[in-house]
Every structure is written in C-alpha cells, then in structure tokens.
Amino acid sequence: MTDRAKVLLEALPFIQQFHDKIIVVKLGGRVISNEEMLNTILQDVVLLRLFGMKMVIVHGGGPEISEEMRKSGVKPKFIEGLRVTDEKTMEILHEQLAGKINKQIVLGINQHGGKAFGISGMDGNLIRARKLIYKTTTSKGKEVEIDLGLVGEVEKIDPAIIHNFLKAGCIPVIAPIGIDAEGRSLNINADMVAAELAGAIRAKKLVIITDVMGVMRDPNDEKTLISTLTAEEIQTLIQQGIVKKGMIPKVEACLKALQLGVERCHIINGNIPHALLLEILTETGIGTMIVRGK
C-alpha cells in the first residue's frame, strides 16, 4: 500500500466522525498577515467543508489594525493585552477588521472553491454586546476599574443567523465587532467571540490557530509541547505561571467553550503547512487539545 493511501485511510474515521458537525476556527492576526500561511489554512477549510464538515471562521487582525492606526497618526494603546478603543480606533476597526481583513478571507475561500460569506457581529444583531467593565489589581493589591473605551463582551449570540448560512452551504467569516442595546458598535476579543459562538451554535470543536505550537511547559522549547490537557490541568498551569501572557486569553477562551458544551478545543501553529488538516484528520494531531476531563 502506498504512503498516500495510508494517509487517506488514516483520515477516514475522522471524516466520518465529524461529517455534518460544526467546527469553529479562530484565525489570529499574525496568521492573517502571513499570506502563505493564510492560504494553506483556507485550503484546509475548503477541503474540510467538502468532506461534509460545517466550517465557521472568526478572525482577529491585531497587527494590521495597529499598523493602520500608526498610519492615521493614532498610537495603539493596550492595557494587559486589551486594545483601548476610542472613536477613531473604532473607525479603523470598521474599515480594517469588518472591511479589508474580512473580505480578504472571504476572497481566499472563494478562490479555493468554497462559498464564503463575510459579516460582522453587528449584522443582523448577530452579537449583542455590553461594555466591558475591566477590573485589575494594582501592585499594592488594590482592585481598580479601567475604562477601555468602546470595548465590549458578548451578552448574547443569535445562532439562527449562522445556522442559516450553514444550511445554504456557506462558510461564515465573522469579524468580532458587536452591538450594544444603545446601537453602539463595540470591539470584542476575537478568542472569546469564537468561544461564545462555538457554544451558541453547538460546535463540536473550536480550533484556535496562532503562531506558536500550543501550550508548552517552556515557551522557548517546542519539545515541551503538551498534546492533551484537561480544563483542571489548564487552571493549574495558569496558577503555576507556566501558561502566561498571550496564551492566557487563548486557553481561557477554550475553557469558556468547554463550559458552553463544546467537546474539544485545539490550539495549533498555523506556520505548519496544512496545520488544520493535520490536527483534525490524524490520530496524533500537532498542537494542544483541551478537553473537559479525563
């Protein structure tokens, strides 16, 4: 038997298992800014759709937005990893996140033979949001509230909109901008939008594609990658300081998705060619898979 045939046969049980199931894929900004990396991921998305899986994409766009802000004379400001969003920043988010970046992904999927449809959380009131009240602790141990401006958190998601796209054979591509009760648009963390959306539409999997291998005991040593973790083990790694910085919002999004009923979450490296296929259609996978319990 040829190696090619072996590869196809290894994929067969996974194609059967996930046929007609929903998979939410979150694309990070660094993935999107790398044209070659994005191209292979979108090929994977189209192929998985042809295998009968219902694919949904949520995307960020941090680096490109920050670059566009600098061009407009606005200095990007972050507090503990969260972008402070004023009116001018929100305008750029509309142009870049809901406009240019969203349509770039839609175009890529369509070029590979898929049928993508780009929307933001504002469209059809898909994502009802509320202003995020961000609390943090000072070095002296005092809890303070910080105003991040037009930054929100998910209050409610209308799953019917996404289900209608999926029934029509489309791949929805969603920009993480929500709308509040007063009709204001709010910038929402894309990882958390992906988690909340995965729960609302009863997804089987949430796959977060970033530019690191997954959860590692030593961030500088890929050999320390942890292939499978439970929700409890993730909490322990956060407390021990092993999971830190930019990985925290990703694992917290995974924990939220599991809490909302998603069966499995994955954090994988989009730098690996066809990372999505390798994670979903092989026994070993390539990144970190997070499950509820043993």
Side-chain angles (χ1 to χ4, degrees):
M1 189 184 294
T2 66
D3 289 341
R4 289 183 183 181
K6 285 180 182 177
V7 168
L8 291 169
L9 284 174
E10 183 184 358
L12 179 59
F14 298 102
I15 295 170
Q16 292 171 325
Q17 184 180 352
F18 302 123
H19 182 83
D20 211 33
K21 301 296 189 293
I22 300 172
I23 296 174
V24 174
V25 176
K26 188 268 174 172
L27 299 179
R30 287 188 177 86
V31 174
I32 295 164
S33 59
N34 183 320
E35 190 175 335
E36 188 177 343
M37 195 192 309
L38 179 62
N39 187 51
T40 65
I41 291 165
L42 298 184
Q43 283 180 324
D44 292 358
V45 167
V46 172
L47 183 57
L48 292 171
R49 178 69 195 88
L50 291 170
F51 283 152
M53 300 171 207
K54 297 176 178 177
M55 308 301 294
V56 178
I57 293 178
V58 176
H59 66 86
E64 291 197 27
I65 291 162
S66 294
E67 180 60 29
E68 198 61 33
M69 288 176 70
R70 292 186 193 98
K71 287 179 185 175
S72 302
V74 181
K75 186 179 178 182
K77 184 180 178 184
F78 293 87
I79 296 175
E80 296 188 13
L82 295 170
R83 187 187 298 275
V84 177
T85 307
D86 58 12
E87 294 282 355
K88 179 63 177 174
T89 304
M90 200 71 223
E91 281 181 31
I92 294 169
L93 282 166
H94 280 287
E95 292 167 6
Q96 293 295 310
L97 198 60
K100 180 186 171 185
I101 296 169
N102 186 271
K103 300 316 170 194
Q104 176 190 356
I105 297 168
V106 168
L107 184 61
I109 291 171
N110 292 344
Q111 284 173 339
H112 290 302
K115 190 165 73 168
F117 203 104
I119 58 173
S120 79
M122 299 179 293
D123 296 314
N125 285 324
L126 171 63
I127 303 174
R128 176 60 64 90
R130 56 176 168 252
K131 185 174 165 63
L132 178 65
I133 307 300
Y134 188 69
K135 295 180 181 179
T136 189
T137 306
T138 66
S139 56
K140 295 181 180 178
K142 183 183 178 183
E143 188 174 79
V144 293
E145 287 186 4
I146 296 175
D147 188 356
L148 297 167
L150 298 172
V151 174
E153 59 185 351
V154 175
E155 187 173 59
K156 186 181 179 184
I157 287 177
D158 183 357
I161 295 171
I162 301 302
H163 285 305
N164 286 337
F165 282 126
L166 294 175
K167 282 176 188 172
C170 293
I171 300 171
V173 179
I174 301 152
I177 301 173
I179 189 163
D180 71 6
E182 282 77 48
R184 294 180 304 175
S185 55
L186 296 174
N187 175 25
I188 313 175
N189 175 273
D191 292 317
M192 200 51 73
V193 167
E196 295 270 5
L197 182 74
I201 62 178
R202 301 188 181 279
K204 188 87 168 175
K205 285 180 180 288
L206 166 64
V207 184
I208 295 177
I209 303 182
T210 181
D211 59 350
V212 295
M213 293 300 294
V215 179
M216 295 176 282
R217 293 196 181 277
D218 177 356
N220 299 314
D221 184 1
E222 292 182 355
K223 291 177 183 174
T224 66
L225 175 73
I226 308 171
S227 59
T228 306
L229 285 166
T230 64
E232 294 78 11
E233 287 167 342
I234 283 286
Q235 298 282 18
T236 302
L237 291 175
I238 294 173
Q239 290 163 8
Q240 292 173 343
I242 292 169
V243 172
K244 55 189 175 182
K245 296 183 180 177
M247 187 55 71
I248 289 180
K250 290 171 178 51
V251 299
E252 285 182 341
C254 290
L255 294 176
K256 182 66 175 179
L258 293 173
Q259 181 189 334
L260 292 172
V262 178
E263 284 189 13
R264 295 181 176 185
C265 298
H266 307 253
I267 300 172
I268 65 173
N269 186 355
N271 284 301
I272 298 170
H274 303 291
L276 194 54
L277 293 183
L278 292 170
E279 184 67 13
I280 292 177
L281 299 181
T282 66
E283 188 67 46
T284 54
I286 56 161
T288 297
M289 180 173 72
I290 303 171
V291 298
R292 286 194 205 102
K294 296 287 186 186

